[in-house]
Amino acid sequence: MKDVKDTLLDRVSIRRYEREAIPEETMEFIYKAVENTPTSYNGQQFSVIDIDDQNLKEELYALTNQKQLKTCNRLLIFLSDYNKISLLAERKGLTMPPFTNTMDGVTIGIIDASLAMMSAVVAAEACGLGTNCVGYLRTVDPAKVAELLKLPKGVFVVCGLALGIPREHPDLKPKQPTSLVFHRNHYRQDDAKMIEELEAYDEVVKHYNATRAGGTSTNDWVAHILDYYDHAMKYRILQYLKDQGYDITH
């Protein structure tokens, strides 16, 4: 098993996997790591669907055109989940507050599922597996994905995680420097200096994309991300959340 430094600092997104199956003891370790994830109030407002059905992975691939969904050995879908607590509350004659109709309720479920996914990423990477987080499963066709996964009310997809024996090792992507990520005691007040550092990082990303192994591009950081934002404006997630029982009012 890799040490924690290598696990966290050498992580890259893997999209091509060997056909070899993941050992069950490795999956059990990942399960335990996920189960021990810190959650808000220990409410554990998340669940995970573990997909090993190749036909289902192929259906999700057909929706997203994300090749890692069909080449991975296991696909974990991390969900915000208030269904479980609602079921037990009803059984015990307790009133379930309309917490899913609040932004805080939505946020807590997303945070819990996201923390659980990171627990899975770290556990899997420590075992030498390749991982890839697939957010597009949340947005590509939410109603169809919910249908395929048979999601009840109170449950929605936060993110997918592809797992498998890696068949590639891409170059490590450059991340923002410490000075842009960490602020001391309060948010930075030196916008001019921050812009200089952001421009420098933008150039680093542009150089990386132009020289990386396995396919190059002319993308910088800022324009590429803004293009994604523009595309994402077309998503209709609010209506999907309402369909799943999250009628957000405040």
Side-chain angles (χ1 to χ4, degrees):
M1 185 172 288
K2 294 194 294 186
D3 66 30
V4 67
K5 181 178 179 180
D6 290 341
T7 296
L8 292 174
L9 300 188
D10 292 342
R11 185 209 62 79
V12 293
S13 294
I14 301 297
R15 291 175 174 81
R16 297 175 69 243
Y17 303 90
E18 303 289 355
R19 294 183 180 275
E20 182 182 349
I22 299 172
E24 280 306 309
E25 57 267 27
T26 300
M27 289 306 304
E28 289 173 10
F29 171 63
I30 293 170
Y31 275 24
K32 291 300 181 184
V34 168
E35 290 165 11
N36 197 40
T37 295
T39 70
S40 184
Y41 297 100
N42 196 35
Q44 301 161 77
Q45 288 90 188
F46 77 95
S47 287
V48 187
I49 297 177
D50 180 3
I51 300 175
D52 60 4
D53 183 327
Q54 188 62 31
N55 290 331
L56 179 52
K57 288 190 290 178
E58 295 277 356
E59 288 186 89
L60 294 170
Y61 163 72
L63 284 175
T64 62
N65 200 34
Q66 299 284 306
K67 63 184 178 184
Q68 60 271 36
L69 298 184
K70 67 175 181 178
T71 63
C72 68
N73 181 251
R74 304 285 274 269
L75 176 62
L76 304 184
I77 310 293
F78 289 81
L79 311 165
S80 172
D81 186 353
Y82 286 94
N83 178 60
K84 293 182 291 187
I85 196 165
S86 297
L87 289 173
L88 184 56
E90 183 178 3
R91 173 60 63 90
K92 298 187 71 172
L94 301 173
T95 300
M96 175 70 180
F99 191 45
T100 53
N101 293 349
T102 70
M103 274 305 301
D104 192 40
V106 174
T107 302
I108 283 176
I110 292 172
I111 291 171
D112 282 2
S114 300
L115 288 172
M117 183 175 69
M118 197 60 209
S119 293
V121 168
V122 173
E125 293 279 343
C127 293
L129 297 181
T131 66
N132 186 267
C133 301
V134 188
Y136 198 30
L137 282 168
R138 182 187 72 255
T139 56
V140 60
D141 188 341
K144 181 62 177 178
V145 173
E147 177 188 341
L148 288 172
L149 301 180
K150 298 181 170 57
L151 301 185
K153 299 293 186 183
V155 179
F156 68 86
V157 172
V158 173
C159 200
L161 178 65
L163 301 176
I165 310 298
R167 196 177 180 181
E168 62 179 1
H169 191 81
D171 295 336
L172 190 66
K173 288 183 179 179
K175 302 296 185 180
Q176 291 179 11
T178 302
S179 61
L180 287 173
V181 177
F182 289 89
H183 304 246
R184 182 67 61 85
N185 295 322
H186 55 74
Y187 200 92
R188 288 178 58 173
Q189 304 296 297
D190 54 342
D191 284 1
K193 177 62 174 173
M194 186 182 294
I195 290 171
E196 287 182 17
E197 294 173 16
L198 286 166
E199 287 177 328
Y201 173 68
D202 201 48
E203 286 299 314
V204 168
V205 173
K206 187 174 182 180
H207 176 74
Y208 164 81
N209 286 326
T211 60
R212 66 183 181 180
T216 60
S217 77
T218 59
N219 291 336
D220 61 5
W221 176 69
V222 63
H224 183 62
I225 299 303
L226 292 181
D227 183 63
Y228 163 72
Y229 292 166
D230 186 60
H231 177 74
M233 294 291 290
K234 302 177 178 66
Y235 300 150
R236 294 293 179 265
I237 302 302
L238 182 60
Q239 184 57 54
Y240 164 62
L241 289 178
K242 289 181 178 180
D243 293 341
Q244 288 301 114
Y246 291 72
D247 192 10
I248 304 165
T249 58
H250 63 287

